[in-house]
Amino acid sequence: MSRQATYDSLPPHYTDDEAIPLTFTIGTYASHPLVTITEVQAHLRLLGAFATLKAHVQRGVPDPQHAWSVFVHKAVYRFDKFMSGAWRDFPPWNEEIIPPLDVVMVWHTYLLNPWTYHEDSVRRTTPFARRLAAMQSMPITLVASLIDPNTFEPLVPSYHRESFFELTSGLSFMYATSTSMTDVLELVCPCCNALNERVPWITADGKGFGETEFAYTCESCGRSFNRETMGVRKFCEEATRHRAGRKVYFANTLVDSNTGKEDEMLAEMKSFHIVQRIRTVFKLSKVCEQDDIVPQATELAKALDWSTEKVVPLLQQAIYAQKTFRRGDATTPFVQRILGAYNNAGYASLDLVGAVIRQGSFVKAIEGLGWLNARRFTSGRTQAPLFQAISRYHSFLDLLTTKAPACPIPTLDIDLVWHTHQLSGAAYRTDTLRLLNRVLKHDDTIQPSTFHAGYAATSTAWTKRFNAAYSTCGCVPKDVILPPIISITTPKAKSKGGWLGIPTFKRNGSVLSFLTVEGRNASRSSLFSGISPTSTRVGRPSDVESWLAPPSVPLVEAVEEEDEDGATHPSEHALCFNSDETQVRIPCKRRNIPGVENQI
């Protein structure tokens, strides 16, 4: 950890009311910028901290992948404890309530699954669900201010920040980057509800709670349990809560699978039929008393032998009452989605461990671009790729208002801005519902064949709509000063200030300065004045933020990579680095697009 964090080190917010925001055409809407340069830069700093954390965990160990997997399991456990802890009312956002970096990493990944995150925050009335709802938008600039801009190490937390986490979670604020066989945790047995106080994180035979093949024999009842056992118990508890009159919708029943919109009536109907089927099969009473929820949930799980195989026929017959299912029949996709939410031990309806590990590929790709270099985007001109990325993200949304590919795949730069937008969970949901009439789903589990076919279709649709190449190289080598602007545009796009006219960059006290290596600090009052707890944006965009071209005018000269299949992510990232960190661009094949003039 680095120096002590203080309120004076938090980032300033630019509030120049004289700046005129530029709008983007997205379908039939003229939209203000949905993501700011401040947020993207703050997000890059956070990704840099994740990469640094992973490097620390994997350094000097015989099996780096196993070490990282164990660490992520521990981080998810800490996240669950924090989100379900002893909270009262959620306080306004400030430095004191930001959890440690490992917990932030899990929260970050959860937000990148917007359908699941939102549904988990409203389908139950548990403390965990209420915390999700309260923390549905990450104050990304505040979080980034707690990370050293040079080393990407977390700053030393204040006493109040440590105390808040430790009181709410019951765990130490400081996390260990290594794990030994003597490290243990407490788990409640899903079979008898007894507390097991010394469950190991790792074991010699690979069956610790931090390992994929987890299994443990309860010290009280002597029954072996694993994550499937714990997941079935979670399902049974929700069914029993529903019988007791609590508000409970089963996972993946509340959010429409096509639009991401809520449908409470349909969710209630499906949940009712599932509970009704359970009652009929096991001859249970219609109502369960509040005090009997735990014991009756245990009895139901016992009747199901704590096995998902026993749950499948119940779900299929409940949801598809008019069909007859026989032993060995394939599980329907909808039932598979429901079951998938109950295959893990935590409160979330997705495998957060797997999701965090998958995010590592994205962070590695961004790092390969050189975009996590602390000195990469320190001035207005070197930030051109980020401005372009923001512009291209809005173009991507505009593309989705048309007959876009069934599986649209973003380039890496667009994906970065898309992720940044998703971190403002409430605003993201509102924005995409308004602009696209659906909540745009982000799926990081797409199979390679579907991924490449989707990217090819997206590239074709992009070129057809915008008359520009989809994959671009917007990377600026070290110490190279960009010309005033590099763009592809038609002669009609010429403005008074030349090609898209560049505004004067405000280098001192601007929205960008807090993320530079030598950025100035802001006072606590300037940070929190006028800030909504669900957004990190204040006032109008700055002059710098206004340098965002309409979606039909990409900012940087379009090129086409010679071999997209050879890249780790189809995008502009055909880069490598030599020993002195000089950025080198791998040769790209330029393509002249008819009717488009290249202005340099």
Side-chain angles (χ1 to χ4, degrees):
M1 297 231 177
S2 299
R3 61 183 174 82
Q4 175 75 28
T6 64
Y7 286 114
D8 287 340
S9 69
L10 300 182
H13 288 260
Y14 190 73
T15 56
D16 185 356
D17 291 331
E18 296 179 359
I20 301 176
L22 194 63
T23 59
F24 292 91
T25 299
I26 301 176
T28 59
Y29 291 90
S31 174
H32 66 280
L34 304 175
V35 180
T36 69
I37 186 71
T38 304
E39 293 165 332
V40 176
Q41 288 180 298
H43 192 192
L44 284 171
R45 185 188 291 187
L46 182 59
L47 295 181
F50 295 159
T52 301
L53 175 62
K54 185 176 181 179
H56 286 327
V57 172
Q58 295 185 322
R59 184 175 297 124
V61 296
D63 189 344
Q65 296 305 321
H66 177 262
W68 180 241
S69 178
V70 171
F71 181 85
V72 173
H73 274 93
K74 295 170 74 173
V76 171
Y77 173 79
R78 285 162 55 83
F79 173 81
D80 275 356
K81 296 288 283 185
F82 176 65
M83 297 297 284
S84 59
W87 295 37
R88 292 184 179 178
D89 296 329
F90 188 82
W93 281 118
N94 60 70
E95 176 262 351
E96 296 173 8
I97 63 174
I98 302 299
L101 183 61
D102 62 327
V103 175
V104 169
M105 178 176 66
V106 178
W107 177 27
H108 170 273
T109 297
Y110 207 163
L111 285 168
L112 299 186
N113 293 269
W115 286 18
T116 303
Y117 189 100
H118 175 73
E119 187 183 62
D120 280 354
S121 72
V122 295
R123 70 181 185 87
R124 296 167 296 191
T125 55
T126 60
F128 181 82
R130 290 195 293 271
R131 305 299 176 264
L132 288 182
M135 296 176 63
Q136 63 182 314
S137 297
M138 179 182 287
I140 186 65
T141 54
L142 174 59
V143 172
S145 73
L146 302 175
I147 298 168
D148 188 284
N150 297 303
T151 65
F152 294 137
E153 298 282 358
L155 300 178
V156 175
S158 67
Y159 168 80
H160 296 290
R161 185 182 174 202
E162 279 193 9
S163 298
F164 182 82
F165 178 81
E166 292 176 357
L167 287 172
T168 53
S169 68
L171 302 172
S172 170
F173 184 93
M174 306 301 293
Y175 49 83
T177 56
S178 61
T179 305
S180 70
M181 291 188 185
T182 59
D183 294 333
V184 296
L185 73 152
E186 295 181 347
L187 286 181
V188 173
C189 174
C191 307
C192 70
N193 302 312
L195 180 64
N196 292 263
E197 298 179 343
R198 299 194 61 78
V199 180
W201 281 106
I202 58 175
T203 63
D205 57 357
K207 294 186 177 181
F209 191 68
E211 298 169 299
T212 55
E213 301 298 324
F214 165 67
Y216 187 74
T217 301
C218 176
E219 300 159 10
S220 179
C221 68
R223 185 178 180 90
S224 178
F225 63 91
N226 55 24
R227 287 191 175 83
E228 179 186 4
T229 312
M230 299 174 79
V232 171
R233 169 55 192 266
K234 180 170 62 173
F235 171 82
C236 292
E237 188 160 329
E238 290 188 6
T240 308
R241 284 176 176 272
H242 190 281
R243 288 176 52 220
R246 299 281 187 90
K247 177 189 174 181
V248 176
Y249 304 126
F250 289 104
N252 290 311
T253 63
L254 178 60
V255 170
D256 183 271
S257 60
N258 294 314
T259 65
K261 297 179 181 179
E262 287 185 35
D263 190 336
E264 288 199 25
M265 184 178 296
L266 185 59
E268 178 56 41
M269 182 184 70
K270 290 176 179 176
S271 298
F272 172 80
H273 285 310
I274 292 172
V275 173
Q276 185 73 7
R277 182 66 183 174
I278 291 171
R279 284 184 50 241
T280 301
V281 171
F282 297 106
K283 297 180 173 56
L284 302 176
S285 62
K286 183 177 181 180
V287 178
C288 170
E289 298 296 331
Q290 298 292 329
D291 294 339
D292 290 338
I293 290 177
V294 172
Q296 290 207 26
T298 304
E299 287 300 314
L300 177 58
K302 182 178 180 180
L304 289 168
D305 197 26
W306 295 277
S307 170
T308 54
E309 291 183 6
K310 300 287 183 68
V311 178
V312 171
L314 289 173
L315 293 178
Q316 302 223 120
Q317 204 60 59
I319 296 171
Y320 306 99
Q322 304 304 317
K323 296 182 64 176
T324 300
F325 292 91
R326 298 180 177 85
R327 185 184 297 273
D329 285 354
T331 306
T332 63
F334 180 61
V335 170
Q336 286 179 345
R337 288 200 301 273
I338 294 178
L339 281 178
Y342 300 98
N343 278 338
N344 55 81
Y347 295 106
S349 297
L350 78 159
D351 177 12
L352 281 173
V353 173
V356 171
I357 290 174
R358 287 193 302 274
Q359 271 299 305
S361 299
F362 175 77
V363 175
K364 184 177 180 180
I366 291 290
E367 189 174 24
L369 269 179
W371 286 17
L372 300 187
N373 188 317
R375 298 175 180 81
R376 179 64 180 87
F377 301 110
T378 57
S379 66
R381 295 184 185 278
T382 60
Q383 290 156 358
L386 298 186
F387 290 118
Q388 179 204 28
I390 293 173
S391 178
R392 281 162 50 82
Y393 172 64
H394 289 79
S395 300
F396 183 73
L397 294 180
D398 179 63
L399 182 66
L400 298 184
T401 65
T402 67
K403 293 182 179 179
C407 182
I409 303 296
T411 57
L412 189 61
D413 60 327
I414 293 174
D415 212 13
L416 170 66
V417 183
W418 188 2
H419 288 194
T420 307
H421 193 190
Q422 288 177 89
L423 296 182
S424 299
Y428 177 80
R429 185 174 180 84
T430 301
D431 291 339
T432 54
L433 276 172
R434 173 174 55 88
L435 298 170
L436 306 176
N437 197 33
R438 68 185 189 277
V439 181
L440 189 56
K441 186 176 184 179
H442 186 271
D443 188 358
D444 64 351
T445 62
I446 299 174
Q447 296 299 314
S449 58
T450 304
F451 184 91
H452 289 293
Y455 177 78
T458 308
S459 179
T460 299
W462 178 283
T463 302
K464 181 178 179 180
R465 183 164 181 81
F466 303 121
N467 201 28
Y470 189 38
S471 180
T472 65
C473 289
C475 312
V476 185
K478 183 180 179 181
D479 298 328
V480 172
I481 299 177
L482 291 177
I485 194 159
I486 304 175
S487 68
I488 284 185
T489 183
T490 60
K492 292 180 181 179
K494 196 169 184 177
S495 64
K496 294 180 181 179
W499 294 97
L500 299 181
I502 301 179
T504 301
F505 290 93
K506 299 187 176 184
R507 299 185 182 278
N508 295 321
S510 76
V511 71
L512 305 174
S513 62
F514 91 92
L515 286 169
T516 62
V517 176
E518 298 177 353
R520 70 180 180 88
N521 295 328
S523 66
R524 182 180 185 182
S525 60
S526 69
L527 170 65
F528 291 106
S529 58
I531 296 181
S532 165
T534 59
S535 174
T536 57
R537 294 190 288 272
V538 182
R540 294 180 172 181
S542 66
D543 287 346
V544 175
E545 291 169 332
S546 297
W547 186 34
L548 300 174
S552 58
V553 189
L555 285 176
V556 177
E557 183 177 4
V559 299
E560 183 179 38
E561 292 182 277
E562 291 185 297
D563 183 11
E564 291 284 0
D565 293 335
T568 57
H569 192 296
S571 73
E572 63 175 21
H573 68 287
L575 293 175
C576 62
F577 294 87
N578 59 24
S579 58
D580 63 357
E581 298 184 347
T582 301
Q583 211 171 63
V584 180
R585 181 163 50 188
I586 298 174
C588 292
K589 179 174 61 180
R590 298 188 179 276
R591 179 172 65 177
N592 294 322
I593 301 175
V596 180
E597 179 180 350
N598 296 341
Q599 294 290 331
I600 301 181

